[in-house]
Amino acid sequence: MPRDYYEILGVSRGAGAGEIKKAFRKLAMKYHPDRNPGNTEAEGMFKECTEAYEVLSDDQKRHIYDTYGHEGLKNSGYQGPGGFEDIFSSFGDIFGDLFGFGSSRSQASRNGPIPGNDLRYDIRISFMEAVHGTVKEVELSKRETCWTCEGSGCRPGHQRETCTACNGRGQVIRSQGFFQVSSSCPQCHGEGSIITDPCDDCRGSGLVHKAKKVSIKIPAGVDAGARMRLKGEGEGGRRGGTSGDLYVIIDVEPHEFFKRDGDNIYCRLPVSMVDAALGVKTEVVTIHGTKKLTIPEGTQSGAVFTLRGQGVKNLRGRGHGDMFVEIHVQTPTKLCEEQIKLLREFDSLCDKHGQKKEHEGFFSRLVNEVMGKTG
């Protein structure tokens, strides 16, 4: 007894047309004879799932099958799918997508315009160029549409001729076991037509190599990894096809002072021990110029001050980010005798005014806590 069509495709009886088509595509890809040469079991599975799809994808046949089963289809005159060529003519849209041939649509595209390929160009810019924007002029060597033949590949006044090996189908059929297998025509390489009088400039390709200067306008605020699309700056098309696009991938050099996170800028500002203790008014270099910053007395190393609006311009026009300045208190080294003497006097004064007790008290509590846990 023949297997249930729904079971073959692995779908429920209430499955929609899209689900049925998706299931068939998956099975057709798995059991197609080209992928399983000499495998008679795979050929049988392929024919079985094709028959199931032919019935379930047709509303009238599906209704008969759902009502009367296989016997009803037989009584209605259905004989099942024919040979391999019939399968391709019935389901050309599916096999054309899966294997690149078999449909009238693909044949039309062979004879129609061919768009040019997209190109990629990687460019490295400085940190400040990324922040403020820049214009870069680069020279590309690429294939452009041949002006002599306008991308047809034929000598002016001549046209492509239908391939006699495949009669313009672009495919040739050969027998393979139970099926007839279709493959790309070796004479026309699947195009369905050949060039008998090629263009002298492009030698029939429809494209010529040329060097071209391209101006790349990089907007302010761009970051590493950004991708820009320059429409029509890719390779030229053939037979009236449009040119491809150029995709520019941005890489940004690091900066020795500034760090970036999104639209915000971070930096570390070295401050002397005296300025941190007494407080100071100083100038900070930002990506937009110098700005005044007041550091209050008693500022500790690691303190962070925010300069609003001094970050990077947002690419979507949402203003600017901020700049965060982290204070790094520098401890003097290589002291002279007089400096050592003064620092010791300063330390004594701190002790006299009780400024060391807080630190010592914290240290004592920490030691007691640790010793208490390990004792």
Side-chain angles (χ1 to χ4, degrees):
M1 182 177 178
R3 288 177 63 196
D4 180 73
Y5 289 145
Y6 292 100
E7 179 186 337
I8 292 171
L9 296 182
V11 298
S12 66
R13 301 190 75 84
E19 185 180 351
I20 291 172
K21 184 175 183 179
K22 183 178 179 180
F24 174 60
R25 283 171 60 95
K26 184 178 179 180
L27 292 171
M29 178 72 80
K30 181 178 180 181
Y31 295 115
H32 192 278
D34 277 359
R35 294 177 175 268
N36 302 273
N39 189 333
T40 55
E41 184 180 353
E43 288 181 1
M45 293 293 294
F46 182 75
K47 184 179 179 182
E48 194 175 46
C49 68
T50 302
E51 180 177 335
Y53 178 71
E54 184 178 9
V55 171
L56 299 184
S57 62
D58 185 291
D59 290 341
Q60 184 176 358
K61 291 176 184 176
R62 184 177 181 180
H63 176 71
I64 295 173
Y65 175 72
D66 287 344
T67 307
Y68 304 105
H70 290 282
E71 196 65 29
L73 287 171
K74 186 177 179 180
N75 293 335
S76 69
Y78 175 66
Q79 300 296 320
F84 203 58
E85 195 169 6
D86 282 345
I87 293 174
F88 273 103
S89 65
S90 299
F91 310 123
D93 61 329
I94 293 180
F95 293 112
D97 291 342
L98 290 178
F99 303 104
F101 55 85
S103 69
S104 59
R105 181 176 57 187
S106 64
Q107 184 173 354
S109 66
R110 285 197 300 269
N111 299 322
I114 302 176
N117 294 325
D118 293 334
L119 296 177
R120 169 175 172 158
Y121 186 84
D122 293 80
I123 188 170
R124 188 174 174 86
I125 60 176
S126 71
F127 185 90
M128 287 301 181
E129 286 175 332
V131 167
H132 298 295
T134 186
V135 177
K136 294 286 187 179
E137 190 174 78
V138 299
E139 187 171 289
L140 303 177
S141 178
K142 60 179 182 175
R143 298 189 303 169
E144 292 195 340
T145 304
C146 176
W147 283 29
T148 303
C149 66
E150 297 181 345
S152 70
C154 300
R155 184 179 297 173
H158 296 77
Q159 293 181 343
R160 300 176 71 95
E161 295 185 2
T162 301
C163 176
T164 56
C166 64
N167 293 323
R169 292 193 302 269
Q171 304 293 318
V172 292
I173 299 172
R174 68 184 190 277
S175 296
Q176 181 175 310
F178 181 78
F179 294 100
Q180 289 181 309
V181 179
S182 180
S183 60
S184 181
C185 175
Q187 180 168 310
C188 66
H189 305 290
E191 294 199 5
S193 60
I194 58 175
I195 297 174
T196 55
D197 294 282
C199 171
D200 293 330
D201 290 341
C202 67
R203 299 181 180 180
S205 69
L207 300 170
V208 291
H209 284 274
K210 284 189 177 181
K212 181 181 179 181
K213 289 185 177 180
V214 178
S215 182
I216 304 173
K217 186 176 181 181
I218 300 173
V222 74
D223 205 353
R227 186 178 75 165
M228 297 175 56
R229 176 189 177 197
L230 277 64
K231 189 173 178 61
E233 292 294 351
E235 288 193 342
R238 293 183 289 158
R239 303 179 199 163
T242 58
S243 296
D245 300 329
L246 174 65
Y247 289 90
V248 180
I249 311 300
I250 306 293
D251 186 28
V252 180
E253 297 173 353
H255 197 276
E256 61 180 354
F257 180 64
F258 298 115
K259 303 294 180 184
R260 179 177 175 181
D261 183 10
D263 295 336
N264 296 324
I265 293 290
Y266 296 82
C267 71
R268 293 183 72 188
L269 180 66
V271 176
S272 71
M273 183 180 68
V274 175
D275 286 343
L278 300 179
V280 66
K281 290 184 179 180
T282 185
E283 286 191 336
V284 179
V285 178
T286 75
I287 59 174
H288 304 290
T290 58
K291 296 293 178 181
K292 291 184 177 180
L293 176 65
T294 299
I295 300 175
E297 62 179 46
T299 296
Q300 303 296 309
S301 192
V304 177
F305 296 91
T306 303
L307 297 176
R308 300 293 181 190
Q310 295 303 311
V312 182
K313 181 180 179 181
N314 184 271
L315 278 173
R316 295 179 177 82
R318 299 172 184 168
H320 289 72
D322 300 325
M323 178 170 171
F324 298 92
V325 182
E326 181 184 350
I327 302 301
H328 177 60
V329 179
Q330 294 181 313
T331 302
T333 59
K334 297 181 180 179
L335 301 176
C336 66
E337 290 295 329
E338 186 177 1
Q339 289 174 318
I340 294 173
K341 179 181 178 181
L342 289 172
L343 283 175
R344 284 175 176 166
E345 291 179 0
F346 174 76
D347 188 55
S348 297
L349 288 172
C350 289
D351 190 23
K352 180 179 178 181
H353 293 284
Q355 292 172 320
K356 292 178 62 177
K357 290 183 179 179
E358 182 178 349
H359 169 72
E360 292 173 351
F362 170 78
F363 183 75
S364 297
R365 291 195 305 272
L366 181 61
V367 169
N368 291 334
E369 180 181 351
V370 173
M371 295 304 293
K373 287 184 177 180
T374 58

